[in-house]
Amino acid sequence: MYDGPLDDVAINVRTKSGRLLTGRKLANSPVVRACLEGGRRLAERELLGQVGDEHLHRPLRTLTRENIAAEAERVFQEAEKRRDGQIARALFGTPPDWKKAKTRPSGGSMKDPWPTLALYMGDLVRYALLDRYSLTEGMLDDATRAQLREAPAFSAVVDKVAYQDMKIVYADETSARFQYLATGLADFHDQVREALGGVYEHSFRYWRGVYAEILEARGVSLRPGISLDELTMMLTGMAQGLSLRHIGAAGGKVIDHHDRCSVLGKASLILIAGAIDPGDGRDVADVVDELMAVRVPPGEGRGKQGAFRTWIGRVARLTAERPAREPRPR
């Protein structure tokens, strides 16, 4: 259970009151924390298929006020009766202030911070994906960032970082499934779309800073027509897409734990090779057009076309060597 500040997570709760201090206090209250944790647990069980024999006609059907409040009450009981220290600290502080446990989670107490279930869903998405994206910031330590800036074998460092990224952030199937499920609902739910936008922006800002640092340290620039924002979007988009592939097709071998590498590493190197300007200042489209220019196709026709070209070459040489004829008299 997350025990950090919820100011930037329970945004709908914080902004509802209109008062800064009151909003922060409510956003970090035990009931709000328990309700968010309860909703996360319900969603996790549904994603893992642990909701019993009930047939679910729509995603996240289990997230009703009654179910959320009941699960939040169980969170309270884990802290009080089971004396789970981590949950107790998260809910009631350090040391736990048990007087705060007098206000219990219920359908009624949920309506104070979240007048509608739609507002709750926006905060729940931020809460459920908080741990997932907070892992990103701690993934690159100072030594790894130094290697990305200075190591001669840059490709090996990229492989290492890509493997860690897929292993830690994107291979967590439960949170990844929740992210993609929420993404599928975003077009129909303004609160979910807004919450996801904030989560993606958080990850985007972090990686953009890393890429800018690498380009500056190595003294290289991008090809004309490619911006740093676009490169960041491409690289993070590849990671997210490959994680979806990993979840949907277990035999896809997106991650190779034996050799500690991933398809993301290879894909990143290919993208970097095309995006970096080696000094010719050419647009990437021009480079691709040159690389993909039509050549002699392999197979049966190769010999015939080769012979035809040889014959044309001979005719051209003979024509060049033959002296010009004198004009005929009229």
Side-chain angles (χ1 to χ4, degrees):
M1 181 174 177
Y2 179 69
D3 58 1
L6 295 179
D7 298 31
D8 295 328
V9 176
I11 293 177
N12 290 329
V13 175
R14 178 169 56 81
T15 57
K16 183 183 72 69
S17 67
R19 296 182 178 181
L20 183 61
L21 294 178
T22 303
R24 285 181 174 176
K25 184 176 180 180
L26 183 59
N28 291 283
S29 66
V31 169
V32 166
R33 286 182 179 277
C35 287
L36 290 173
E37 175 65 17
R40 187 199 65 79
R41 294 184 183 187
L42 289 171
E44 182 177 55
R45 289 183 201 137
E46 186 174 320
L47 291 169
L48 296 176
Q50 300 173 352
V51 292
D53 298 329
E54 181 184 0
H55 179 66
L56 301 177
H57 298 285
R58 60 176 175 81
L60 304 180
R61 187 182 178 185
T62 55
L63 292 178
T64 64
R65 284 190 183 276
E66 293 73 17
N67 289 345
I68 296 166
E71 191 64 32
E73 174 61 25
R74 294 188 188 97
V75 175
F76 263 61
Q77 292 175 3
E78 289 177 15
E80 295 176 298
K81 295 180 180 180
R82 288 174 43 189
R83 293 294 176 177
D84 187 307
Q86 196 273 334
I87 295 178
R89 289 191 298 272
L91 291 176
F92 310 124
T94 307
D97 182 359
W98 298 104
K99 293 180 181 179
K100 294 181 179 179
K102 292 181 180 180
T103 303
R104 312 298 297 193
S106 67
S109 61
M110 271 192 70
K111 288 185 179 180
D112 185 26
W114 298 289
T116 66
L117 201 57
L119 292 172
Y120 171 80
M121 283 298 298
D123 287 347
L124 176 63
V125 170
R126 279 183 285 268
Y127 180 83
L129 297 181
L130 179 65
D131 286 341
R132 174 178 173 80
Y133 279 90
S134 65
L135 288 172
T136 304
E137 295 189 356
M139 190 182 68
L140 296 182
D141 55 23
D142 292 340
T144 302
R145 292 184 81 132
Q147 289 177 336
L148 285 169
R149 293 191 305 267
E150 304 162 7
F154 179 72
S155 60
V157 187
V158 171
D159 274 332
K160 169 188 170 183
V161 171
Y163 171 74
Q164 290 296 325
D165 189 24
M166 292 295 292
K167 178 183 176 183
I168 297 174
V169 180
Y170 292 102
D172 181 356
E173 293 194 9
T174 302
S175 62
R177 288 174 190 272
F178 184 87
Q179 177 186 348
Y180 296 128
L181 176 59
T183 301
L185 297 173
D187 281 347
F188 311 99
H189 201 301
D190 291 342
Q191 286 292 327
V192 171
R193 183 169 59 252
E194 181 183 340
L196 277 173
V199 171
Y200 280 122
E201 181 63 23
H202 174 85
S203 178
F204 179 87
R205 286 197 307 269
Y206 173 79
W207 283 111
R208 188 188 188 281
V210 172
Y211 301 148
E213 181 181 323
I214 294 170
L215 294 175
E216 182 180 0
R218 292 188 174 269
V220 296
S221 58
L222 300 176
R223 286 192 176 277
I226 302 176
S227 69
L228 181 58
D229 284 357
E230 289 173 330
L231 178 65
T232 304
M233 186 180 299
M234 293 175 201
L235 288 168
T236 54
M238 284 195 312
Q240 292 152 9
L242 287 170
S243 73
L244 183 61
R245 167 78 177 179
H246 172 72
I247 294 171
K253 298 182 180 179
V254 174
I255 305 175
D256 184 346
H257 293 294
H258 181 266
D259 293 330
R260 298 180 65 81
C261 62
S262 69
V263 177
L264 176 61
K266 185 177 291 186
S268 299
L269 292 176
I270 293 171
L271 182 58
I272 292 169
I276 297 298
D277 185 354
D280 56 23
R282 299 173 64 193
D283 184 276
V284 68
D286 293 336
V287 177
V288 171
D289 287 344
E290 179 181 323
L291 291 173
M292 300 304 293
V294 177
R295 292 170 172 79
V296 178
E300 295 181 358
R302 186 179 185 89
K304 295 180 179 179
Q305 292 192 28
F308 177 74
R309 292 188 177 190
T310 302
W311 180 76
I312 290 293
R314 289 175 180 173
V315 171
R317 286 196 299 273
L318 288 173
T319 302
E321 295 171 359
R322 184 179 300 166
R325 292 181 177 181
E326 294 292 335
R328 291 182 179 181
R330 295 184 179 180

